[in-house]
Amino acid sequence: MKKKLIKIIKEASKILVEGYYNEKEVAFKAKKDLVTKYDVAVEEFLKEKFKKEFSNFNIIAEESDNSSLKFDNSIIIDPIDGTTNFVNKVPHTAISVGVYKNKKPYMGVVYNPILDELYYAKVNEGAYLNKKKIEVSKEKNFQKALISTGFPYSCGTCSDDLNAVMKQMKNILPNCQDIRRLGSASLDLCYVAKGTYEGYYEMNLKAWDVSAGIIILSEAGGKVTNEKGKKYKLFNDKYIVATNSKIHKKLLSYL
């Protein structure tokens, strides 16, 4: 399944690359939530190919109506994670595909074709970037930790979410090395997996944003929970907290 999955994703990435370098018409799903014809085109390409190759899985995808689908044996697709980056030619954008069997993690692929970075993991087989094994940072000192986060689309309309984001940043920023906000959850998780960041947290993400990244990070030796330190549940939890495991308790305490 691995080779076919990656081959299809790389084929689909040609659509992303074409759109990245061309002018784009942009629609708004919400005040800050963008979508382009390229999001839809990548998604339709992946769905068509996956249905032929992996007929025993249903396909849950960002731009589709998933209301009749049950999360079980599922392939979860984010066709362009980091659409705002994609629209504005910021090269932190990727195709994210998470594969789950009986609701349990099985395989994850995150591909940034602009930088040609292919992250891949299969449960119990480790995590890889362009065929080279990756592992989380060994840093234990939170003051030396580089942390990543994201701002939810709801910040434009929900004062509670905006206030929570600002409060958390006020707690964390003085106590860590610095905070980054690059705008793609799947890639942020992969950056923790390869040791660039020590930790990452965000609220209001969707399953397709993180389904692949949490598999890759876990296989790289990282830890993923909700803000209470409990096992992170796709489709359920408001917050995701992901770290190299060594600073996890400290990050939770600041949240």
Side-chain angles (χ1 to χ4, degrees), residues 17-29:
V17 172
E18 176 192 337
Y20 183 87
Y21 291 106
N22 286 318
E23 293 299 315
K24 295 169 277 290
E25 290 185 9
V26 178
F28 286 81
K29 294 186 285 185

Side-chain angles (χ1 to χ4, degrees), residues 26-35 62-63 83-84 153:
V26 178
F28 286 81
K29 294 186 285 185
K31 184 177 180 181
K32 290 175 175 284
D33 196 359
L34 311 182
V35 64
E62 179 175 13
E63 309 304 338
T83 300
T84 301
Y153 295 131

